[in-house]
């Protein structure tokens, strides 16, 4: 009987020892689990592609930028093809212009009988065009040609709508008996500014005092629109 009790007591003691040992091992595993958990991310951690985490958003933005600075298209320069008024009209050409004389020759100086003759330029095309500068004006006679000098006026850009007109003025000094050399003008050749093609009109006036060598002749041409 004593042997049975001893055996039973020994078995109970062994079981208790095993139970205490198991409980102790479980507690140790929990502690080691807390100590070995991964540390929180720091600023030195790297993001995808090797960029530091603190610059990850910036790197993402830089890689996917579609701002106007990189995708915008230039729209400048369309005004470069237009006139000063921004109409986009091209230059007037001789072939698209009609030529005639204006009404009435008026005296500009009673002391020397200087007169003016308006030359009308009409846009015959269906589109607007621009014209600026002095025309070339040559008086013709049976014996020669006289290229007129320009006035001191400043040319301005003129935009001619389809069917509209502008003028320039020929100022001339008529020839009078005994006043000097007579130039018997029969026609006038007009070349619009920046053009090489001319138009010839019959000269409506009489003889002109020839001053082709004068520094300040009494016969000259003004700018278109002036």
């Amino acid at each position: 009987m004593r042997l049975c009790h001893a055996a039973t007591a020994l078995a109970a003691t062994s079981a208790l020892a095993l139970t205490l040992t198991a409980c102790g091992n479980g507690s140790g595993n929990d502690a080691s689990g807390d100590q070995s958990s991964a540390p929180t991310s720091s600023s030195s951690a790297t993001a995808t592609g090797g960029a530091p985490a603190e610059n990850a958003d910036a790197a993402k933005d830089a890689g996917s930028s579609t701002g106007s600075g990189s995708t915008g298209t230039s729209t400048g320069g369309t005004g470069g093809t237009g006139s000063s008024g921004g109409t986009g009209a091209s230059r007037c050409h001789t072939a698209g212009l009609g030529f005639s004389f204006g009404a009435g020759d008026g005296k500009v100086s009673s002391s020397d009988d200087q007169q003016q003759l308006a030359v009308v330029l009409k846009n015959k095309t269906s589109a607007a065009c621009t014209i600026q500068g002095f025309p070339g004006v040559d008086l013709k006679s049976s014996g020669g040609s006289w290229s007129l000098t320009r006035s001191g006026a400043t040319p301005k850009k003129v935009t001619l709508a389809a069917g509209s007109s502008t003028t320039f003025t020929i100022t001339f000094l008529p020839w009078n008996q005994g006043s000097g050399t007579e130039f018997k003008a029969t026609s006038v050749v007009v070349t619009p500014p920046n053009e090489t093609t001319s138009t010839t009109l019959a000269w409506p006036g009489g003889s002109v005092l020839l001053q082709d060598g004068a520094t300040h002749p009494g016969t000259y041409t003004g700018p278109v629109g002036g």
Side-chain angles (χ1 to χ4, degrees):
M1 292 298 291
R2 288 181 178 180
L3 290 175
C4 290
H5 286 300
T8 301
L10 180 60
T13 300
S14 298
L16 177 60
L18 289 174
T19 300
L20 292 174
T21 300
C23 291
N25 288 342
S27 175
N29 288 339
D30 289 342
S32 63
D34 292 340
Q35 293 172 359
S36 62
S37 61
T40 57
S41 298
S42 67
S43 60
S44 61
T46 56
T48 303
E54 60 190 10
N55 294 328
D57 291 340
K60 179 180 178 181
D61 291 342
S64 61
S65 175
T66 57
S68 60
S70 59
T71 62
T73 58
S74 174
T75 59
T78 55
T81 60
S83 70
S84 61
T87 62
S90 61
R91 180 167 56 83
C92 298
H93 298 287
T94 306
L97 294 172
F99 299 79
S100 62
F101 292 111
D105 298 342
K107 292 183 178 181
V108 297
S109 174
S110 60
S111 62
D112 56 12
D113 293 330
Q114 209 173 23
Q115 297 182 5
Q116 288 184 322
L117 176 65
V119 180
V120 181
L121 307 179
K122 181 178 180 179
N123 181 7
K124 301 187 303 181
T125 71
S126 59
C129 66
T130 62
I131 188 168
Q132 181 178 16
F134 286 86
V137 177
D138 297 294
L139 292 181
K140 298 287 186 179
S141 70
S142 59
S145 178
W146 178 11
S147 295
L148 302 189
T149 59
R150 300 171 178 178
S151 72
T154 301
K156 62 182 179 181
K157 180 174 285 188
V158 177
T159 299
L160 291 179
S164 66
S165 303
T166 187
T167 63
F168 71 88
T169 300
I170 298 175
T171 300
F172 64 99
L173 187 60
W175 175 81
N176 294 311
Q177 185 69 39
S179 63
T181 303
E182 180 184 12
F183 186 87
K184 297 181 179 180
T186 56
S187 62
V188 57
V189 179
V190 177
T191 308
N194 303 305
E195 289 289 293
T196 57
T197 304
S198 305
T199 293
T200 301
L201 300 172
W203 177 249
S207 294
V208 180
L209 179 63
L210 181 62
Q211 295 180 312
D212 56 349
T215 303
H216 300 288
T219 299
Y220 52 85
T221 182
V224 173

